[in-house]
Amino acid sequence: SDLASTTASSPKSKEDQVVNGHDEKENNPFAEYMWMENEEDFNRQVEEELQEQEFLDRCFQEMLEEEDQDWFIPSRDLPQGMGQLQQQLNGLTVADGHSSEDILSKSNLNPDAKEFVPGVKY
């Protein structure tokens, strides 16, 4: 019975019990509202962080705009006629009237030859 009394803690009295998340014996009954004391400092700090973020966003946007000016973009930088010419050039393909089968039938290359690898002696 002595062992049981030493290992078990004595139950708290009603005065020591926690009420509304705070000890009843707590010195300051307004402790849960103390954060409001520094509310102006907190608001000022948040406002400064928002202004800093806005400044960084503006700097980043200006950097992107400067980078865009440095790039050559044909649709933007060429005159209208040049843009159409550029599109026509992009659509051209090389063709000399021979089909690929015709080229293969007239080829002198050995299709069974080993693949050429530079630097390897055969």
Side-chain angles (χ1 to χ4, degrees):
S1 65
D2 289 335
L3 182 63
S5 64
T6 56
T7 56
S9 61
S10 61
K12 290 185 175 182
S13 64
K14 282 190 175 183
E15 293 82 27
D16 292 339
Q17 289 181 350
V18 176
V19 178
N20 291 335
H22 297 286
D23 288 336
E24 215 173 293
K25 290 182 178 178
E26 195 172 280
N27 293 338
N28 189 352
F30 300 105
E32 67 181 283
Y33 302 104
M34 290 306 289
W35 65 270
M36 291 181 180
E37 178 182 17
N38 300 323
E39 185 176 8
E40 289 177 8
D41 291 336
F42 176 77
N43 288 342
R44 188 174 18 260
Q45 180 184 357
V46 169
E47 205 170 298
E48 287 173 2
E49 289 174 4
L50 290 173
Q51 288 173 352
E52 182 179 335
Q53 184 62 40
E54 184 181 330
F55 174 74
L56 290 174
D57 290 344
R58 274 198 320 261
C59 289
F60 188 72
Q61 189 61 37
E62 287 176 15
M63 183 186 70
L64 288 176
E65 289 171 3
E66 287 176 10
E67 191 174 282
D68 280 348
Q69 291 173 358
D70 292 342
W71 286 88
F72 175 75
I73 302 172
S75 62
R76 180 192 70 191
D77 298 332
L78 290 176
Q80 286 298 332
M82 292 297 288
Q84 291 172 352
L85 181 61
Q86 182 71 28
Q87 288 176 351
Q88 290 173 353
L89 287 173
N90 289 342
L92 291 178
T93 58
V94 177
D96 58 1
H98 298 288
S99 67
S100 59
E101 293 83 19
D102 190 28
I103 293 171
L104 290 177
S105 67
K106 294 179 180 178
S107 173
N108 293 333
L109 298 175
N110 179 1
D112 298 325
K114 291 183 180 178
E115 182 179 347
F116 174 74
V117 179
V120 175
K121 295 185 179 184
Y122 293 97

